[in-house]
Amino acid sequence: MSARSSSIVSNSLTASARSSSRGGSSFSWTPFRVTVYSMLLPCSSGRLSVASVAVDLAASVFDRFEDKTVLCVGAGKMAALMLRHLAALTPRRVLIANRSVARAEALAAEMRGIGVAVEACGMEALDEQLGVADIVLTSTGAAQPLITAAPCR
């Protein structure tokens, strides 16, 4: 085994799931953190991405997605990859919040092209979007947390 193929890479992934009470409008956010370790193997053996693991994690929490609203914070390459994986689960609605509204709109247009109902907005609408999202996936290069506990209460 080569040095490259035996290297271990650690990527941290943070996701949140909202659980709503039956028949009521109250909800609570349950944050969980997963550290993903993947072996760097030759391309012929297949690849595992943090984006696909994020979607798999969401799929392990929810049985169905047809009634779910997913908020994606960020609109870069990793967010695009994450949303492509998410499209297979057919969520009811996808929201993309990004610092650059133009970049969020571009990613939204790409996702509409593959049949996903999606809306784009700037980060100023993040608190509002957190209130309607069932699932929040983040993929940003921000040095500081963008989501705090206050808007999730």
Side-chain angles (χ1 to χ4, degrees):
M1 187 180 284
S2 71
R4 179 175 181 255
S5 64
S6 63
S7 299
I8 296 179
V9 176
S10 171
N11 295 301
S12 290
L13 163 72
T14 303
S16 297
R18 180 177 80 175
S19 59
S20 59
S21 62
R22 293 182 185 206
S25 61
S26 64
F27 64 88
S28 63
W29 284 91
T30 308
F32 46 95
R33 186 171 191 94
V34 175
T35 302
V36 180
Y37 294 94
S38 61
M39 296 295 290
L40 293 176
L41 300 172
C43 291
S44 61
S45 66
R47 293 165 46 178
L48 178 71
S49 70
V50 173
S52 67
V53 171
V55 174
D56 288 347
L57 181 60
S60 73
V61 174
F62 295 101
D63 294 331
R64 34 189 296 237
F65 282 77
E66 299 84 22
D67 62 341
K68 301 294 183 269
T69 296
V70 178
L71 171 61
C72 178
V73 182
K77 291 178 185 177
M78 290 301 290
L81 181 59
M82 193 165 44
L83 289 176
R84 279 189 218 105
H85 287 288
L86 183 70
L89 299 175
T90 61
R92 178 177 55 91
R93 183 175 169 212
V94 174
L95 308 169
I96 302 172
N98 195 57
R99 184 174 40 122
S100 163
V101 178
R103 178 66 193 124
E105 285 289 351
L107 181 55
E110 180 183 328
M111 297 310 297
R112 284 184 204 108
I114 60 172
V116 177
V118 62
E119 299 170 34
C121 66
M123 293 302 282
E124 68 279 353
L126 183 60
D127 288 354
E128 178 186 335
Q129 301 299 2
L130 285 168
V132 298
D134 298 300
I135 302 166
V136 177
L137 301 173
T138 64
S139 178
T140 73
Q144 300 298 319
L146 297 174
I147 301 172
T148 60
C152 298
R153 292 181 189 192

